[in-house]
Amino acid sequence: MASPAAALRRATLACAITAALYAPATSAQTPKESEQDARIQQLESELLALKEIVQAQQAQLTGARVERTPDATPLTAGAATPGSPAGASAAAPTASAPAGKPPIQATSIVNSDSRFSFGGFIKLDALSTWTSDGPIPDGTPGRMFYFPTATPVGQGPGESYTDFHAQFSRLWFGVDRVTDAGDTFKAYVEMDFFGGGNSNVGNEKFSNGYPPTLRHAYVQWNKWLAGQTWSNAVDLGSLPESVDFVGIVDGTLFARQAQIRYTTGNWSFSLENPQTWYQAGSPAHVQSGQNNVPDVTARWQTKGDWGHFSVAGIARQLRTQTDRTTGAALSLAGSFKLGDRDTLQYTVSGGPGLGRYIGFGLAPDAYIDTDGALEAQDLVAGFAGWRHDWNDRLRSTLAYSAAHIDTDSAAVGPLATKKTQSWRYNLIYSPFPRLDVGAELSWGERTLSNGESGELRRLHTTVKYTF
């Protein structure tokens, strides 16, 4: 049995241990400690609220859809976009961010009442070219795509080339906004890397670096458009698909320029940048820079399940330092569905003064006649293309294009271009959505006022991914 002294020591030790264990819980907090606890609880509440806000924003951004436009012409809400090819729709959604991963852009890059969009494509072109009557200089546009006036005539023996480039890869950016009052706004910028040809700003020695080239830059407000885009006279929906940059160039209305445009219903009207190119005693085109009245265009279009049809007119002032005259032209264009898998596309244009609007400036706007007066150059041009969809992934197009210029050889000489024409046939395969692999065989001919002609043959292949 323990002694009384030992029992007392054990009881004292137990009381000390009990007091040590319960002292922190039973002791009163100081005012400073209470204030710190309250502050910690407040910070925890604020942190939890902030976390909930961030999670909500991430869910909203992850679910947002980025829209793309593609190289047509929107003037009102729901219409096509001038920068997009062949009348493509203004926007198409792409996939959102993968589940569980944060979005690339965590904050909006435009105001909350606006929508930002972007897109474009990467395009590789590989061309093998044969000419009958001499060379096409390296680095010039004729080596990169079909350029009718670049076809050599009477310049020596035939030549052959192989060229690779990716300069027609393209980027675009757009911002759309609809106000509370229902007003619609759109800003759009598009560029490629053509730069006027390899020899102008790039090189093929080691870097193959080429700066951007402005294609479109405009703003829209409801029915109004201001800036640079396709001429109002151009019907993009009539252009056949081609592996080449344009393909049916000879008969194509092709002009992008600064303008002010108004659209109402099926009608659109524009005032566009004026410019006169003329011939003065030789085939060379001379730029006057003397215009003081804008080019005026009007266009009417209708469409349905059968296709579409448009008619456009152009009225112009043609002016040099010493003389002036007027020019006018008419263009009919459209498409017609021949069945579920076949479509016919066409354009016919003509008139005195049509000039630079056709075929990359194929013809002059005017010339100085033998009496020294400025005369509007008359011409007629057109094309027709037949597209056939073999199945959902394979399609082909057969197209013919031509232009005839009523040249006055006595005034401009025997070497002026009088006629160009071309045929082409392509086969394009899309193994996956937005990926195209294509090949195109083409033949072109240029004829001079003296009757001499030269030919061009080309095999053009491409790989193109649209995003």
Side-chain angles (χ1 to χ4, degrees), residues 88-104:
S89 62
T94 59
S96 59
K101 291 188 177 182
I104 295 175

Side-chain angles (χ1 to χ4, degrees), residues 224-244:
W224 290 93
L225 178 149
Q228 174 171 309
T229 189
W230 293 108
S231 169
N232 183 48
V234 174
D235 186 332
L236 293 175
S238 69
L239 298 180
E241 186 176 26
S242 178
V243 170
D244 187 82

Side-chain angles (χ1 to χ4, degrees), residues 136-145 147 150 163-168 192-204 208-214 245 256 360:
I136 301 175
D138 188 25
T140 59
R143 290 280 289 267
M144 303 172 65
F145 56 94
F147 202 95
D163 296 286
F164 282 52
H165 69 85
Q167 288 173 250
F168 291 128
D192 61 19
F193 304 89
F194 170 46
N198 294 347
S199 59
N200 286 354
V201 290
N203 72 82
E204 295 182 78
N208 288 270
Y210 308 102
T213 303
L214 179 66
F245 176 54
R256 290 190 302 264
F360 302 151

Side-chain angles (χ1 to χ4, degrees), residues 183-467:
D183 292 312
T184 59
F185 292 88
K186 179 181 181 67
Y188 184 86
V189 175
E190 180 179 297
M191 66 195 78
D192 61 19
F193 304 89
F194 170 46
N198 294 347
S199 59
N200 286 354
V201 290
N203 72 82
E204 295 182 78
K205 188 172 184 179
F206 57 90
S207 67
N208 288 270
Y210 308 102
T213 303
L214 179 66
R215 290 172 53 84
H216 303 271
Y218 64 84
V219 62
Q220 286 180 247
W221 169 54
N222 294 335
K223 297 181 179 182
W224 290 93
L225 178 149
Q228 174 171 309
T229 189
W230 293 108
S231 169
N232 183 48
V234 174
D235 186 332
L236 293 175
S238 69
L239 298 180
E241 186 176 26
S242 178
V243 170
D244 187 82
F245 176 54
V246 174
I248 35 77
V249 177
D250 317 79
T252 300
L253 275 173
F254 189 101
R256 290 190 302 264
Q257 56 196 12
Q259 61 191 269
I260 298 173
R261 186 189 304 180
Y262 178 77
T263 298
T264 177
N266 293 346
W267 287 93
S268 56
F269 308 88
S270 69
L271 301 177
E272 305 190 9
N273 180 60
Q275 189 59 261
T276 300
W277 290 82
Y278 66 100
Q279 292 173 322
S282 75
H285 294 193
V286 180
Q287 179 181 355
S288 76
Q290 299 295 314
N291 291 78
N292 53 22
V293 176
D295 290 1
V296 180
T297 78
R299 184 167 178 260
W300 179 84
Q301 176 173 304
T302 185
K303 58 184 178 180
D305 295 340
W306 49 271
H308 84 283
F309 172 78
S310 72
V311 56
I314 305 173
R316 310 176 57 196
Q317 177 200 61
L318 306 175
R319 187 169 184 257
T320 67
Q321 289 183 333
T322 59
D323 200 1
R324 70 182 66 185
T325 187
T326 57
L330 189 68
S331 180
L332 307 177
S335 62
F336 189 78
K337 295 182 180 179
L338 302 175
D340 293 336
R341 294 185 177 273
D342 296 275
T343 303
L344 175 67
Q345 296 166 287
Y346 62 90
T347 291
V348 179
S349 308
L354 182 58
R356 66 180 180 87
Y357 281 84
I358 284 289
F360 302 151
L362 172 62
D365 301 314
Y367 64 96
I368 306 298
D369 65 18
T370 54
D371 296 326
L374 185 66
E375 185 78 17
Q377 178 65 71
D378 204 358
L379 71 107
V380 61
F383 65 78
W386 170 40
R387 168 172 167 154
H388 178 73
D389 295 332
W390 298 96
N391 53 50
D392 292 340
R393 295 186 178 184
L394 185 65
R395 59 196 182 275
S396 60
T397 297
L398 174 66
Y400 174 74
S401 181
H404 180 85
I405 307 167
D406 188 19
T407 57
D408 184 348
S409 57
V412 299
L415 301 182
T417 300
K418 187 174 183 65
K419 178 182 177 181
T420 68
Q421 60 177 333
S422 64
W423 285 92
R424 62 193 61 249
Y425 177 78
N426 61 51
L427 197 62
I428 300 175
Y429 177 63
S430 300
F432 304 100
R434 297 177 293 183
L435 177 64
D436 296 331
V437 180
E440 182 171 275
L441 288 170
S442 62
W443 169 88
E445 181 185 57
R446 182 166 73 104
T447 303
L448 306 180
S449 295
N450 61 9
E452 294 183 5
S453 63
E455 297 182 7
L456 176 146
R457 291 172 292 153
R458 175 170 286 165
L459 171 62
H460 190 158
T461 60
T462 191
V463 176
K464 176 183 174 182
Y465 179 72
T466 302
F467 56 88

Side-chain angles (χ1 to χ4, degrees), residues 69-116:
T69 306
D71 260 10
T73 306
L75 299 175
T76 57
T81 301
S84 59
S89 62
T94 59
S96 59
K101 291 188 177 182
I104 295 175
Q105 180 69 36
T107 59
S108 176
I109 63 176
V110 294
N111 295 332
S112 59
D113 62 348
S114 300
R115 181 189 65 181
F116 174 77

